[in-house]
Amino acid sequence: MMARATPAVALDGVSYRYPGTDAGVADISMTIEAGELVVCIGPSGCGKTTLLRLVAGFLKPDAGVIRLNGEDVSEVPTRTRECGVVFQAYALFPHMRVWENVAYPLRVRDIPLDERRRRANDMLELVGLSGLHDRLPAQLSGGQQQRVALARALIFHPRALLLDEPLSALDAATRVAMRDEIRRIQRRQNLASLLITHDQDEALSLADRVVVLRDGRLVQSASPQEIYDTPVDAFVANFVGRANLLDAQVVDAQTVDTPIGRLATLPHGRAIGSTLRLLVRPERIEPAAPAAGENVFPAQVLRDRFYGATRQIEVAAGNGRLEIETAARDHFANVRVPRDAIQFLRNQ
């Protein structure tokens, strides 16, 4: 049997609490493989940036071990860890030309001037900024400044790339373009990368794996599709995307009672009479014809918002409410909930 490769980044039981507060992270264990992009999401104050600062070395853990390529770096200074970091505000030197900003990590490593300039120009070409090497940061757009910051983080061949809300200051169109650019460069460099964001679309579209934090603890770590399709609990379901969460009581092996009515489900194995939480994503609910059918319920439209390709509709059904996302244009008075759209969530 082949030995498993050592993860590029590994955290084992890492905890940190800011002095005099309850804020921080607790007992975080996770890995990032070479070439893998892990995106960390969660509510404000959940510990996302703290996690990144611990990996970078700006903070030292109170407990646990941080390893880079198998080496324990828990007590190693930031500079020695050799992590490339891109900050939310880019932190470019305003008096330095673009190439000088990019080459700065080489300057502090005493790399000769000619070598610094050559490598900076090569990196600027990689990020699509050829010809702008002599400009000052103030002469660049937000997206161009972000590329400079990315080039600077990559120029010394870091062991890992750490990005703290790197796209939040950009307009919507530039942000989407830069998602693809970061992914292209990260894959080309085969870098283990950790990206912090509050943008769920960004997380789902960029990540190989999504890590969800809540109150400083890791709640779920999985592929974007698994995070969305099979969240471990109601918190993840409600945080990632839009969600219909229904309280339910088990009637039998394939039936539950809910506020919207009795639902036929896939076989679930829960005890008769037990209570549980269900998830139904809005896009899985279908406008239905009046004819009777399984899991079809009369529905009264309470709100109808048109977004071009889709409509987001809130309806009253039974004693509950449902949110629906549909491309259908016609009026409807019934909705259908397919059996395979009903997910059983872990009790919290």
Side-chain angles (χ1 to χ4, degrees):
M1 181 182 293
M2 293 181 61
R4 186 175 179 180
T6 301
V9 179
L11 286 76
D12 185 6
V14 171
S15 297
Y16 176 84
R17 178 176 293 182
Y18 291 96
T21 76
D22 292 328
V25 296
D27 196 25
I28 301 291
S29 295
M30 57 178 284
T31 61
I32 309 175
E33 306 294 336
E36 185 181 27
L37 176 58
V38 171
V39 178
C40 182
I41 60 175
S44 296
C46 71
K48 301 186 297 293
T49 295
T50 300
L51 183 65
L52 181 142
R53 291 171 64 84
L54 284 163
V55 176
F58 300 132
L59 300 172
K60 292 184 179 180
D62 298 329
V65 177
I66 300 170
R67 294 184 177 87
L68 296 177
N69 298 324
E71 176 191 352
D72 184 349
V73 296
S74 307
E75 301 293 326
V76 170
T78 300
R79 177 177 169 180
T80 310
R81 293 193 189 193
E82 296 285 299
C83 291
V85 184
V86 178
F87 299 100
Q88 182 177 359
Y90 312 144
L92 302 180
F93 297 109
H95 63 286
M96 290 185 182
R97 290 171 288 180
V98 164
W99 80 265
E100 292 170 319
N101 266 282
V102 173
Y104 185 76
L106 303 182
R107 176 179 168 184
V108 299
R109 290 167 173 79
D110 296 323
I111 303 298
L113 176 61
D114 289 346
E115 176 71 3
R116 296 203 305 264
R117 183 148 195 168
R118 182 189 65 77
R119 287 172 60 177
N121 288 338
D122 288 346
M123 194 56 63
L124 288 168
E125 183 177 353
L126 176 67
V127 300
L129 292 180
S130 297
L132 302 183
H133 51 277
D134 284 329
R135 291 192 183 182
L136 294 172
Q139 297 172 305
L140 303 178
S141 68
Q144 289 170 332
Q145 290 183 40
Q146 203 271 353
R147 290 170 190 251
V148 174
L150 182 59
R152 183 178 60 187
L154 296 171
I155 194 168
F156 58 94
H157 306 298
R159 296 162 111 180
L161 178 63
L162 310 175
L163 305 109
D164 187 9
E165 302 262 14
L167 307 179
S168 61
L170 303 177
D171 62 79
T174 304
R175 190 160 59 243
V176 172
M178 284 308 304
R179 286 180 200 167
D180 295 338
E181 191 69 6
I182 287 173
R183 193 64 166 127
R184 177 185 70 84
I185 293 168
Q186 181 265 340
R187 281 179 168 166
R188 179 169 173 176
Q189 299 288 310
N190 196 40
L191 280 170
S193 302
L194 175 65
L195 187 146
I196 305 302
T197 185
H198 64 274
D199 188 316
Q200 298 168 24
D201 290 341
E202 189 175 298
L204 295 175
S205 64
L206 265 176
D208 293 307
R209 188 154 44 93
V210 176
V211 168
V212 183
L213 296 188
R214 181 187 189 187
D215 298 330
R217 295 187 177 274
L218 195 158
V219 181
Q220 187 172 5
S221 175
S223 70
Q225 183 171 338
E226 185 177 348
I227 289 283
Y228 187 82
D229 288 344
T230 55
V232 293
D233 59 23
F235 167 76
V236 177
N238 212 29
F239 187 78
V240 181
R242 298 167 63 236
N244 293 294
L245 299 174
L246 301 173
D247 293 320
Q249 185 171 39
V250 175
V251 176
D252 59 35
Q254 298 186 63
T255 313
V256 296
D257 280 333
T258 76
I260 68 169
R262 181 160 290 187
L263 286 171
T265 73
L266 297 176
H268 51 71
R270 270 67 172 187
I272 293 174
S274 63
T275 58
L276 41 81
R277 208 85 184 277
L278 304 180
L279 164 67
V280 183
R281 292 292 186 189
E283 67 274 13
R284 297 298 312 277
I285 299 174
E286 305 166 354
E294 182 180 82
N295 291 353
V296 174
F297 305 98
Q300 177 187 357
V301 174
L302 303 176
R303 187 183 65 211
D304 189 344
R305 292 176 176 170
F306 179 67
Y307 289 93
T310 62
R311 295 158 67 196
Q312 291 182 2
I313 305 168
E314 183 180 3
V315 302
N319 294 318
R321 294 189 177 191
L322 293 171
E323 291 188 0
I324 303 170
E325 184 171 331
T326 178
R329 294 293 197 266
D330 297 335
H331 172 76
F332 61 91
N334 296 270
V335 294
R336 175 176 174 268
V337 183
R339 283 185 186 232
D340 63 359
I342 302 167
Q343 300 178 48
F344 291 77
L345 298 176
R346 182 179 71 189
N347 291 331
Q348 293 178 286

